[in-house]
Amino acid sequence: MAEAQAQQDAVATPASVQTRSRWEDFSRTFLSNRLALFGLVVLSIFILMAIFAPLVAPYDPLSQDLEGKFAGPSLAHPFGQDELGRDILSRVIYGARISLTAGLAAVAIATTAGTLIGMVAGFFGGYTDSVLMRLMDVILAFPSILLAIVIVSVLGPSLANAMLAIGIVFIPQIARVVRSSVISVRERDYIEAERALGAGNAQIIFSGVLPNSTAPLIVQATLTLATAILDIAALSFLGLGARAPTPEWGAMLTDAFESGFGVFVEGQHALIFPGVAIALAVLSVNFVGDGLRDALDPRRRG
Amino acid sequence: MLGVSIVVFCMVRAIPGDPAQILLGQSATTSQVAEIRDRLGLDEPLPVQYLLFLKDAVRGDLGDSLVTGRPVTTELLVRLPATFELTAFAMLIAILVGVPVGVISAVRQYSLLDKFFSVLALTGISMPIFWLAMILIVIFGVNLELLPFPGRLGPTTAITSITGLVLVDSLLTFNFAGFWDGLLYLIMPAIALGTIPMAVVMRMTRSSMLEVMGEDYVRTARAKGVVPWRVVFKHGLRNAMLPTVTVIGLQAGLLMGGAIITETIFSWPGIGQIAYESVSRRDYAMIQGVVLYGAALFVLINLLVDVLYAVLDPRVRY
């Protein structure tokens, strides 16, 4: 036993050294990517904005001022006022809370379920693998937004259900990524070694397989986040997500759009700013995702 | 496909509320509800209901719309040409712009132009499609008054319907004014719908071109003294098209989702618009029909892509 321990230590030491240099390597590549850095900065601003929304926002996002309907940008209201005279800047700031949280929640659902399914399918293989992956294929056979629409119709329209629906739709992508990296790791010598040391399946999965499958998982999850934010906004637009008067970015655009044709003439700013917020947030996530992929995948390094 | 139909069936049945009750309204008596339930076969056990549904579905009968009372299939077929015209045009824009830009970016890798296009493409896939549509309306429809909206044709334009495709019908009847009008109405929705596929096609073309241009046979061709543009198009692009075609096929699903939104914003009388309406009116028979046909189409398109693969790449044989 003592000998085995010593052997494990001997294996562990070079591994930890390698992990650190890998981390250094990763951060250097990532930080030298200007677009990824830009994305990270913008995203941080959005997150700070979301956390400190009550402190940052100049007005209550729900308080109406019908006198100021579609009033254009001014010093008092830098982004102008919307169809009910609400301050758009404040609504965009509070919207960061809802839209980002919703996107993250959807990705969390997809990642948790997808990792579990991919892990089990990849690790055990055989019959389990076939059944789980066919199930994933059925989900993939639907155009994603159509499936989300059906799920929300079944559960009833609400922001929480929209998150759940988007989460479910993205499970197969995560599951596939995890499965393929698990399969490539499964037969490695160090897994064999763990098994020889008497580790059970669960232990091998969590200590051996999972940590070595994280890189592609992180990349996939980040890129999924970008799509999730977009799709949740789209569901809100279809009336299946956040409802008025919630200051969610997609719902803000919907409310403005549905207020009538006048918005295209006099309320253009009400259409521009929430959309810019969505696009900027998603773009930053995409930049970060691309940067992560380039930094984590040695094959892509130029 | 069978799995898909089971999932759709179960989900639609899981939607809360008794369809018979919805059909008759709140004032219906219990006996009326019972009669309708009997007529719709809702008293049968679920597996039997599913088989009945499948039997009808295979023959193209997906039941009647709960709102208009007309058969779902008819309702969808009437609107198919409008959606087809829109998506085809959007895809055309996506390919005509995406492929050349991807090739240029790959040939001039890391140039300023390449970086510019890359950021532009990423911006393209980061924009919510309904926002892009609204911004297009604001810029070209309202502020510049260049392009007309909403709908498919101006109120004064009449076109004899043959195929249901405005552009084809107007040309067949030599109605050039109608053709021009239809084209103008088509531009904004098509750009809105085509932007994301365009960006995706561009990125895919670029990366597969880069890969192919590094191959030995490309180097050989260069060494042989083949003119550069021939190397790029004959040796490079032809082989780089394979992944691009796959990606184009995969865009089909995205286009369907995008069509729902685009058609709603531009009041385009297609399947997407009816999908949106049936969602907001809780017309479950219609939703079921749209999703089922959508999934079927999606599977079909991917099959088509596989076949196309074999045509493009002689190494692939089935």
Side-chain angles (χ1 to χ4, degrees), chain A residues 31 37 61 72 76 109-110 117 134 160 165-166 176 191 202 214 246:
Chain A
L31 294 179
L37 207 59
I109 293 170
I117 293 174
R134 284 303 81 71
I166 299 292
R176 283 188 159 192
I191 302 293
T214 41
T246 318

Side-chain angles (χ1 to χ4, degrees), chain B:
Chain B
M1 205 49 226
L2 210 63
V4 168
S5 79
I6 293 179
V7 172
V8 174
F9 178 81
C10 290
M11 280 184 156
V12 172
R13 287 301 171 279
I15 292 171
D18 185 344
Q21 190 77 52
I22 295 172
L23 212 57
L24 292 168
Q26 286 303 321
S27 57
T29 63
T30 329
S31 65
Q32 276 175 312
V33 171
E35 193 201 316
I36 290 284
R37 283 186 66 88
D38 186 44
R39 186 138 51 94
L40 293 175
L42 290 172
D43 290 331
E44 309 283 349
L46 264 187
V48 176
Q49 280 193 39
Y50 170 70
L51 288 178
L52 286 173
F53 158 77
L54 197 64
K55 194 184 91 194
D56 287 342
V58 169
R59 293 183 307 193
D61 179 4
L62 286 174
D64 298 338
S65 158
L66 297 182
V67 174
T68 60
R70 284 196 292 270
V72 169
T73 307
T74 323
E75 199 76 67
L76 291 180
L77 277 180
V78 168
R79 287 161 172 270
L80 185 64
T83 300
F84 177 76
E85 192 164 40
L86 174 62
T87 43
F89 205 70
M91 215 55 226
L92 196 72
I93 296 181
I95 295 169
L96 286 184
V97 178
V99 172
V101 171
V103 170
I104 293 172
S105 299
V107 173
R108 300 256 174 279
Q109 193 190 5
Y110 299 134
S111 69
L112 218 57
L113 204 62
D114 174 33
K115 282 180 184 150
F116 174 73
F117 282 141
S118 292
V119 172
L120 207 64
L122 212 51
T123 314
I125 53 173
S126 300
M127 278 190 293
I129 183 166
F130 56 97
W131 181 63
L132 180 64
M134 291 176 191
I135 295 301
L136 285 174
I137 292 182
V138 165
I139 297 175
F140 296 104
V142 176
N143 291 357
L144 299 177
E145 290 182 24
L146 274 177
L147 296 169
F149 74 99
R152 221 176 152 197
L153 274 179
T156 51
T157 318
I159 282 177
T160 335
S161 180
I162 304 170
T163 57
L165 302 171
V166 165
L167 295 187
V168 176
D169 287 349
S170 56
L171 280 186
L172 284 177
T173 52
F174 301 105
N175 183 350
F176 295 113
F179 178 81
W180 181 243
D181 195 46
L183 192 64
L184 288 183
Y185 272 92
L186 189 54
I187 292 176
M188 274 202 291
I191 291 179
L193 189 57
T195 299
I196 295 178
M198 187 196 299
V200 176
V201 167
M202 192 226 114
R203 279 160 65 101
M204 200 65 216
T205 310
R206 177 180 180 271
S207 66
S208 59
M209 266 306 267
L210 281 177
E211 201 165 301
V212 170
M213 295 305 277
E215 296 277 345
D216 287 345
Y217 57 80
V218 171
R219 191 149 30 106
T220 310
R222 277 197 208 287
K224 247 179 13 177
V226 178
V227 257
W229 66 265
R230 245 183 99 87
V231 176
V232 169
F233 287 100
K234 182 137 182 278
H235 299 82
L237 188 58
R238 250 202 89 175
N239 293 298
M241 276 319 280
L242 290 167
T244 309
V245 167
T246 315
V247 131
I248 291 173
L250 287 176
Q251 294 309 301
L254 219 93
L255 277 180
M256 284 178 210
I260 299 179
I261 290 163
T262 314
E263 290 182 4
T264 304
I265 292 182
F266 288 99
S267 303
W268 194 263
I271 292 176
Q273 196 191 30
I274 207 170
Y276 172 75
E277 281 168 8
S278 50
V279 167
S280 52
R281 291 189 302 209
R282 308 272 172 276
D283 186 345
Y284 295 122
M286 209 68 186
I287 299 178
Q288 178 174 284
V290 169
V291 173
L292 213 54
Y293 275 117
L297 203 65
F298 192 51
V299 172
L300 199 73
I301 290 174
N302 281 310
L303 192 73
L304 218 67
V305 168
D306 280 349
V307 175
L308 204 62
Y309 228 90
V311 174
L312 279 174
D313 187 348
R315 283 170 303 183
V316 180
R317 280 281 167 261
Y318 293 104

